PDB file of all heavy atoms in Angstrom:
ATOM      1  N   LEU A  36     -36.966 -21.524 -30.767  1.00 93.00           N
ATOM      2  CA  LEU A  36     -36.002 -21.094 -31.770  1.00 93.00           C
ATOM      3  C   LEU A  36     -36.391 -19.769 -32.434  1.00 93.00           C
ATOM      4  O   LEU A  36     -35.615 -18.850 -32.628  1.00 93.00           O
ATOM      5  CB  LEU A  36     -35.814 -22.090 -32.887  1.00 93.00           C
ATOM      6  CG  LEU A  36     -34.847 -23.370 -32.592  1.00 93.00           C
ATOM      7  CD1 LEU A  36     -34.899 -24.363 -33.736  1.00 93.00           C
ATOM      8  CD2 LEU A  36     -33.540 -22.872 -32.224  1.00 93.00           C
ATOM      9  N   ASP A  37     -37.681 -19.582 -32.764  1.00 94.00           N
ATOM     10  CA  ASP A  37     -38.154 -18.393 -33.411  1.00 94.00           C
ATOM     11  C   ASP A  37     -37.936 -17.098 -32.452  1.00 94.00           C
ATOM     12  O   ASP A  37     -37.606 -16.109 -32.848  1.00 94.00           O
ATOM     13  CB  ASP A  37     -39.624 -18.457 -33.763  1.00 94.00           C
ATOM     14  CG  ASP A  37     -39.865 -19.460 -34.952  1.00 94.00           C
ATOM     15  OD1 ASP A  37     -38.869 -19.731 -35.695  1.00 94.00           O
ATOM     16  OD2 ASP A  37     -40.935 -19.923 -35.131  1.00 94.00           O
ATOM     17  N   GLU A  38     -38.192 -17.336 -31.220  1.00 96.00           N
ATOM     18  CA  GLU A  38     -38.014 -16.198 -30.264  1.00 96.00           C
ATOM     19  C   GLU A  38     -36.442 -15.851 -30.142  1.00 96.00           C
ATOM     20  O   GLU A  38     -36.185 -14.629 -30.198  1.00 96.00           O
ATOM     21  CB  GLU A  38     -38.489 -16.597 -28.823  1.00 96.00           C
ATOM     22  CG  GLU A  38     -40.032 -16.642 -28.758  1.00 96.00           C
ATOM     23  CD  GLU A  38     -40.411 -17.212 -27.325  1.00 96.00           C
ATOM     24  OE1 GLU A  38     -40.082 -18.348 -26.991  1.00 96.00           O
ATOM     25  OE2 GLU A  38     -41.310 -16.477 -26.753  1.00 96.00           O
ATOM     26  N   VAL A  39     -35.654 -16.782 -30.049  1.00 97.00           N
ATOM     27  CA  VAL A  39     -34.247 -16.552 -30.022  1.00 97.00           C
ATOM     28  C   VAL A  39     -33.741 -15.885 -31.366  1.00 97.00           C
ATOM     29  O   VAL A  39     -32.909 -14.977 -31.219  1.00 97.00           O
ATOM     30  CB  VAL A  39     -33.426 -17.971 -29.700  1.00 97.00           C
ATOM     31  CG1 VAL A  39     -31.964 -17.609 -29.767  1.00 97.00           C
ATOM     32  CG2 VAL A  39     -33.829 -18.504 -28.350  1.00 97.00           C
ATOM     33  N   ALA A  40     -34.288 -16.356 -32.454  1.00 96.00           N
ATOM     34  CA  ALA A  40     -33.826 -15.889 -33.711  1.00 96.00           C
ATOM     35  C   ALA A  40     -34.101 -14.362 -33.939  1.00 96.00           C
ATOM     36  O   ALA A  40     -33.453 -13.731 -34.786  1.00 96.00           O
ATOM     37  CB  ALA A  40     -34.510 -16.602 -34.859  1.00 96.00           C
ATOM     38  N   LYS A  41     -34.946 -13.738 -33.084  1.00 97.00           N
ATOM     39  CA  LYS A  41     -35.228 -12.340 -33.238  1.00 97.00           C
ATOM     40  C   LYS A  41     -34.087 -11.440 -32.560  1.00 97.00           C
ATOM     41  O   LYS A  41     -34.095 -10.206 -32.730  1.00 97.00           O
ATOM     42  CB  LYS A  41     -36.517 -12.042 -32.576  1.00 97.00           C
ATOM     43  CG  LYS A  41     -37.713 -12.767 -33.285  1.00 97.00           C
ATOM     44  CD  LYS A  41     -39.005 -12.451 -32.462  1.00 97.00           C
ATOM     45  CE  LYS A  41     -40.208 -13.161 -33.088  1.00 97.00           C
ATOM     46  NZ  LYS A  41     -41.417 -13.032 -32.283  1.00 97.00           N
ATOM     47  N   HIS A  42     -33.172 -12.093 -31.882  1.00 98.00           N
ATOM     48  CA  HIS A  42     -32.345 -11.331 -31.095  1.00 98.00           C
ATOM     49  C   HIS A  42     -30.859 -11.412 -31.685  1.00 98.00           C
ATOM     50  O   HIS A  42     -30.036 -12.263 -31.203  1.00 98.00           O
ATOM     51  CB  HIS A  42     -32.223 -11.762 -29.591  1.00 98.00           C
ATOM     52  CG  HIS A  42     -33.611 -11.595 -28.945  1.00 98.00           C
ATOM     53  ND1 HIS A  42     -33.923 -10.396 -28.385  1.00 98.00           N
ATOM     54  CD2 HIS A  42     -34.748 -12.359 -29.008  1.00 98.00           C
ATOM     55  CE1 HIS A  42     -35.239 -10.512 -27.969  1.00 98.00           C
ATOM     56  NE2 HIS A  42     -35.686 -11.734 -28.264  1.00 98.00           N
ATOM     57  N   THR A  43     -30.556 -10.643 -32.713  1.00 97.00           N
ATOM     58  CA  THR A  43     -29.338 -10.748 -33.484  1.00 97.00           C
ATOM     59  C   THR A  43     -28.540  -9.366 -33.568  1.00 97.00           C
ATOM     60  O   THR A  43     -27.769  -9.206 -34.435  1.00 97.00           O
ATOM     61  CB  THR A  43     -29.602 -11.215 -34.883  1.00 97.00           C
ATOM     62  OG1 THR A  43     -30.499 -10.321 -35.473  1.00 97.00           O
ATOM     63  CG2 THR A  43     -30.233 -12.555 -34.844  1.00 97.00           C
ATOM     64  N   SER A  44     -28.777  -8.482 -32.664  1.00 97.00           N
ATOM     65  CA  SER A  44     -28.125  -7.152 -32.684  1.00 97.00           C
ATOM     66  C   SER A  44     -27.236  -6.864 -31.438  1.00 97.00           C
ATOM     67  O   SER A  44     -27.354  -7.734 -30.472  1.00 97.00           O
ATOM     68  CB  SER A  44     -29.182  -6.087 -32.859  1.00 97.00           C
ATOM     69  OG  SER A  44     -29.972  -5.959 -31.612  1.00 97.00           O
ATOM     70  N   GLU A  45     -26.504  -5.854 -31.521  1.00 96.00           N
ATOM     71  CA  GLU A  45     -25.724  -5.471 -30.358  1.00 96.00           C
ATOM     72  C   GLU A  45     -26.677  -5.101 -29.126  1.00 96.00           C
ATOM     73  O   GLU A  45     -26.260  -5.391 -28.023  1.00 96.00           O
ATOM     74  CB  GLU A  45     -24.818  -4.339 -30.683  1.00 96.00           C
ATOM     75  CG  GLU A  45     -23.636  -4.714 -31.656  1.00 96.00           C
ATOM     76  CD  GLU A  45     -22.709  -3.532 -31.902  1.00 96.00           C
ATOM     77  OE1 GLU A  45     -22.542  -2.648 -30.987  1.00 96.00           O
ATOM     78  OE2 GLU A  45     -22.166  -3.493 -32.947  1.00 96.00           O
ATOM     79  N   GLU A  46     -27.724  -4.616 -29.494  1.00 97.00           N
ATOM     80  CA  GLU A  46     -28.702  -4.228 -28.424  1.00 97.00           C
ATOM     81  C   GLU A  46     -29.398  -5.421 -27.794  1.00 97.00           C
ATOM     82  O   GLU A  46     -29.694  -5.403 -26.583  1.00 97.00           O
ATOM     83  CB  GLU A  46     -29.766  -3.274 -28.950  1.00 97.00           C
ATOM     84  CG  GLU A  46     -29.297  -1.875 -29.455  1.00 97.00           C
ATOM     85  CD  GLU A  46     -28.574  -1.999 -30.748  1.00 97.00           C
ATOM     86  OE1 GLU A  46     -28.941  -2.863 -31.565  1.00 97.00           O
ATOM     87  OE2 GLU A  46     -27.724  -1.172 -31.011  1.00 97.00           O
ATOM     88  N   SER A  47     -29.483  -6.525 -28.497  1.00 98.00           N
ATOM     89  CA  SER A  47     -30.221  -7.733 -28.021  1.00 98.00           C
ATOM     90  C   SER A  47     -29.642  -8.876 -28.633  1.00 98.00           C
ATOM     91  O   SER A  47     -30.030  -9.329 -29.852  1.00 98.00           O
ATOM     92  CB  SER A  47     -31.694  -7.598 -28.279  1.00 98.00           C
ATOM     93  OG  SER A  47     -32.371  -8.685 -27.676  1.00 98.00           O
ATOM     94  N   CYS A  48     -28.555  -9.387 -28.014  1.00 98.00           N
ATOM     95  CA  CYS A  48     -27.838 -10.578 -28.623  1.00 98.00           C
ATOM     96  C   CYS A  48     -28.031 -11.854 -27.779  1.00 98.00           C
ATOM     97  O   CYS A  48     -27.502 -11.958 -26.670  1.00 98.00           O
ATOM     98  CB  CYS A  48     -26.383 -10.161 -28.668  1.00 98.00           C
ATOM     99  SG  CYS A  48     -25.357 -11.565 -29.435  1.00 98.00           S
ATOM    100  N   TRP A  49     -28.839 -12.703 -28.309  1.00 98.00           N
ATOM    101  CA  TRP A  49     -29.123 -14.034 -27.604  1.00 98.00           C
ATOM    102  C   TRP A  49     -28.552 -15.142 -28.360  1.00 98.00           C
ATOM    103  O   TRP A  49     -28.393 -15.074 -29.541  1.00 98.00           O
ATOM    104  CB  TRP A  49     -30.626 -14.287 -27.570  1.00 98.00           C
ATOM    105  CG  TRP A  49     -31.550 -13.362 -26.649  1.00 98.00           C
ATOM    106  CD1 TRP A  49     -31.030 -12.196 -26.133  1.00 98.00           C
ATOM    107  CD2 TRP A  49     -32.699 -13.581 -26.249  1.00 98.00           C
ATOM    108  NE1 TRP A  49     -32.094 -11.673 -25.415  1.00 98.00           N
ATOM    109  CE2 TRP A  49     -33.167 -12.461 -25.467  1.00 98.00           C
ATOM    110  CE3 TRP A  49     -33.689 -14.591 -26.504  1.00 98.00           C
ATOM    111  CZ2 TRP A  49     -34.417 -12.377 -24.923  1.00 98.00           C
ATOM    112  CZ3 TRP A  49     -34.959 -14.463 -25.928  1.00 98.00           C
ATOM    113  CH2 TRP A  49     -35.354 -13.351 -25.145  1.00 98.00           C
ATOM    114  N   MET A  50     -28.124 -16.177 -27.671  1.00 97.00           N
ATOM    115  CA  MET A  50     -27.751 -17.445 -28.308  1.00 97.00           C
ATOM    116  C   MET A  50     -28.027 -18.695 -27.555  1.00 97.00           C
ATOM    117  O   MET A  50     -28.338 -18.606 -26.307  1.00 97.00           O
ATOM    118  CB  MET A  50     -26.282 -17.426 -28.646  1.00 97.00           C
ATOM    119  CG  MET A  50     -25.325 -17.113 -27.428  1.00 97.00           C
ATOM    120  SD  MET A  50     -23.641 -16.914 -27.878  1.00 97.00           S
ATOM    121  CE  MET A  50     -23.683 -15.445 -28.777  1.00 97.00           C
ATOM    122  N   ILE A  51     -28.042 -19.749 -28.199  1.00 96.00           N
ATOM    123  CA  ILE A  51     -28.234 -21.115 -27.577  1.00 96.00           C
ATOM    124  C   ILE A  51     -26.983 -21.849 -27.359  1.00 96.00           C
ATOM    125  O   ILE A  51     -26.192 -21.940 -28.318  1.00 96.00           O
ATOM    126  CB  ILE A  51     -29.263 -21.932 -28.384  1.00 96.00           C
ATOM    127  CG1 ILE A  51     -30.540 -21.188 -28.577  1.00 96.00           C
ATOM    128  CG2 ILE A  51     -29.434 -23.369 -27.749  1.00 96.00           C
ATOM    129  CD1 ILE A  51     -31.423 -21.685 -29.769  1.00 96.00           C
ATOM    130  N   ILE A  52     -26.668 -22.247 -26.165  1.00 96.00           N
ATOM    131  CA  ILE A  52     -25.532 -23.018 -25.953  1.00 96.00           C
ATOM    132  C   ILE A  52     -25.851 -24.196 -24.988  1.00 96.00           C
ATOM    133  O   ILE A  52     -26.534 -23.877 -24.003  1.00 96.00           O
ATOM    134  CB  ILE A  52     -24.289 -22.167 -25.310  1.00 96.00           C
ATOM    135  CG1 ILE A  52     -23.900 -21.024 -26.297  1.00 96.00           C
ATOM    136  CG2 ILE A  52     -23.085 -22.885 -24.946  1.00 96.00           C
ATOM    137  CD1 ILE A  52     -22.835 -20.099 -25.867  1.00 96.00           C
ATOM    138  N   GLY A  53     -25.366 -25.345 -25.276  1.00 92.00           N
ATOM    139  CA  GLY A  53     -25.620 -26.486 -24.419  1.00 92.00           C
ATOM    140  C   GLY A  53     -26.005 -27.725 -25.254  1.00 92.00           C
ATOM    141  O   GLY A  53     -26.569 -27.550 -26.369  1.00 92.00           O
TER     142      GLY A  53
END
Side-chain angles (χ1 to χ4, degrees):
L36 278 176
D37 289 341
E38 288 173 305
V39 175
K41 295 175 185 174
H42 300 272
T43 60
S44 68
E45 289 183 29
E46 294 75 30
S47 184
C48 181
W49 292 13
M50 59 185 61
I51 301 161
I52 298 176

